[in-house]
Amino acid sequence: MVKKAGVLFMAASLLMCSASFGASHVDASTADHETQSAGSQGDLKQHQAAPVGAKPVDLGELRRKYSETFKFRGPEVKQIALTFDDGPDPRFTPQILDVLHRKGVKATFFVMGVRAKKFPSLMKRIHHEGHLIGNHSFSHPNFHKRSVKQFQNEILRTEKIIQNTVGYRPKLIRPPYGEITEAQVQWAKKNGYTLVNWNVDSQDWKGLGKDKIKANVIGTAGPGSIILQHSGGGVGSNLEGTIQALPEIIDTLQAQGYHFVDLAEMLQTTKYR
């Protein structure tokens, strides 16, 4: 009887441990929204999930603990930062650059290393037209599922491509999907980077039309807003809504007294590392 009770107790303990482990997965505050580049699939296969450790810290807690390193918005002044992820992409990036040039507006482009390497002329155009370039990893993995070493390799690999193309190492990093671990934030802080997410999501990655994208941005934007849009996407992606909405977004927010700046100006930091 005693032996049977001991077996039952051990089984119950295992069930409790299993439930606790399953509940420890981070509850991310940003949606898993960006389209994976078709060209990066081979690189992604080289990665394995990071080892399971202590309970992950969620993005809200990381934001509080590392407020000087991890930014989600700027100061509450009449400034807005337009940011564009996943480029450069010859289908969409040139059209976005054309709009920004016509409007005289500067923006921040978080580029993927795999595309920066493939389209150096677009990288040079972004730079020569006065926009800021940030690091969006090489192959667009979810860093929450990667080790610190894998995170480091993705960042440094892309940084080298950017430096060889436009002549500087970006200070700003945007993790794909907005996801990152505490150990990765600590590495970024130690090495002089600033991590930047957003507080206004256009949701243009869904292939939305102009009016919906415009409503998503203007209905949420305020002083110090960092707006997420895209200048590139995977096979079959459609960013025509972004291209069509962008002039009206700029006009509307300027009429409300907002001034468009790049993230280095908004966050009062340097552009280069």
Side-chain angles (χ1 to χ4, degrees):
M1 180 66 71
V2 173
K3 183 175 181 181
K4 182 177 182 181
V7 171
L8 289 173
F9 176 78
M10 289 178 64
S13 299
L14 287 171
L15 284 172
M16 290 176 66
C17 290
S18 177
S20 174
F21 176 80
S24 70
H25 180 70
V26 64
D27 180 16
S29 63
T30 52
D32 181 10
H33 64 274
E34 297 184 49
T35 304
Q36 176 60 53
S37 164
S40 65
Q41 294 299 320
D43 186 82
L44 284 174
K45 291 177 183 177
Q46 299 173 14
H47 295 293
Q48 301 296 325
V52 176
K55 181 177 180 179
V57 178
D58 66 26
L59 289 178
E61 181 63 19
L62 289 176
R63 179 181 180 180
R64 289 187 292 272
K65 289 182 69 174
Y66 302 95
S67 60
E68 295 304 311
T69 299
F70 200 3
K71 304 292 185 179
F72 289 70
R73 64 177 302 150
E76 291 197 14
V77 297
K78 296 283 277 192
Q79 291 183 339
I80 290 201
L82 294 172
T83 69
F84 297 91
D85 287 5
D86 291 1
D89 186 325
R91 298 169 297 171
F92 309 114
T93 306
Q95 297 181 74
I96 289 169
L97 288 170
D98 288 345
V99 173
L100 296 173
H101 180 72
R102 289 198 305 269
K103 296 295 183 181
V105 166
K106 303 306 179 191
T108 303
F109 288 79
F110 286 99
V111 302
M112 293 170 53
V114 67
R115 290 182 175 155
K117 183 177 181 179
K118 188 174 182 179
F119 305 111
S121 62
L122 276 177
M123 290 289 294
K124 291 175 182 177
R125 181 180 171 188
I126 293 169
H127 176 58
H128 290 156
E129 294 187 4
H131 304 292
L132 181 61
I133 293 173
N135 192 324
H136 196 43
S137 81
F138 184 83
S139 62
H140 208 280
N142 184 335
F143 283 143
H144 191 261
K145 301 176 181 178
R146 301 289 183 261
S147 69
V148 174
K149 182 65 175 177
Q150 290 167 333
F151 170 76
Q152 176 184 336
N153 288 342
E154 286 271 336
I155 296 304
L156 295 180
R157 187 176 182 185
T158 301
E159 182 176 282
K160 183 176 180 180
I161 292 166
I162 295 171
Q163 183 176 28
N164 290 342
T165 306
V166 301
Y168 67 85
R169 297 181 299 165
K171 181 179 179 68
L172 304 183
I173 296 171
R174 172 167 286 164
Y177 315 104
E179 293 287 356
I180 196 166
T181 68
E182 183 169 16
Q184 292 162 0
V185 174
Q186 291 171 344
W187 180 87
K189 178 180 179 179
K190 179 180 178 181
N191 288 278
Y193 295 99
T194 297
L195 300 160
V196 187
N197 273 4
W198 59 88
N199 69 319
V200 177
D201 188 349
S202 69
Q203 299 186 40
D204 61 347
W205 57 274
K206 295 180 178 179
L208 301 177
K210 177 188 75 172
D211 292 339
K212 182 59 177 174
I213 290 173
K214 182 179 174 183
N216 287 344
V217 171
I218 294 173
T220 313
S225 284
I226 298 174
I227 298 172
L228 171 66
Q229 294 178 277
H230 292 78
S231 68
V235 175
S237 60
N238 180 7
L239 295 176
E240 288 301 318
T242 292
I243 296 161
Q244 294 168 8
L246 187 56
E248 296 183 20
I249 288 171
I250 292 170
D251 290 344
T252 301
L253 292 175
Q254 283 181 331
Q256 295 176 6
Y258 289 100
H259 177 55
F260 288 94
V261 296
D262 67 32
L263 282 172
E265 182 174 346
M266 172 176 276
L267 300 176
Q268 300 177 7
T269 187
T270 56
K271 298 182 178 183
Y272 321 127
R273 193 171 69 87

